[in-house]
Amino acid sequence: MTFQEMVRKFIGNQIEVAVNPSYYEGTLKEVTETVIVIEESTVYGQATEVILNDAQIDYVRVLV
């Protein structure tokens, strides 16, 4: 099982992602061969899509 296959199972779930030196938390929207896309909610309720290159990801944690 590849990293992408494992993470793809959690589409729609809340996750946190560490990409040195940043940290992102949001809903997992999409997983491709090279990127993952999460939707972060802002303080004002607007959502922002964040596209992260999977080669730069330190870890992904699924929030329960």
Side-chain angles (χ1 to χ4, degrees), residues 31-48:
V31 179
T32 69
E33 294 301 316
T34 57
V35 299
I36 69 170
V37 179
I38 64 171
E39 186 175 84
E40 279 190 315
S41 295
T42 63
V43 176
Y44 303 107
Q46 295 178 337
T48 302

Side-chain angles (χ1 to χ4, degrees), residues 1-17 26-39 49-55 57 60-62:
M1 179 180 293
T2 66
F3 170 75
Q4 292 86 356
E5 291 170 338
M6 181 180 67
V7 174
R8 195 173 284 126
K9 293 180 180 184
F10 298 103
I11 289 176
N13 289 5
Q14 288 292 114
I15 63 169
E16 61 183 34
V17 180
T27 304
L28 180 61
K29 292 303 215 180
E30 182 180 353
V31 179
T32 69
E33 294 301 316
T34 57
V35 299
I36 69 170
V37 179
I38 64 171
E39 186 175 84
E49 278 194 353
V50 179
I51 300 171
L52 303 168
N53 184 328
D54 67 356
I57 294 172
V60 174
R61 182 169 32 189
V62 179

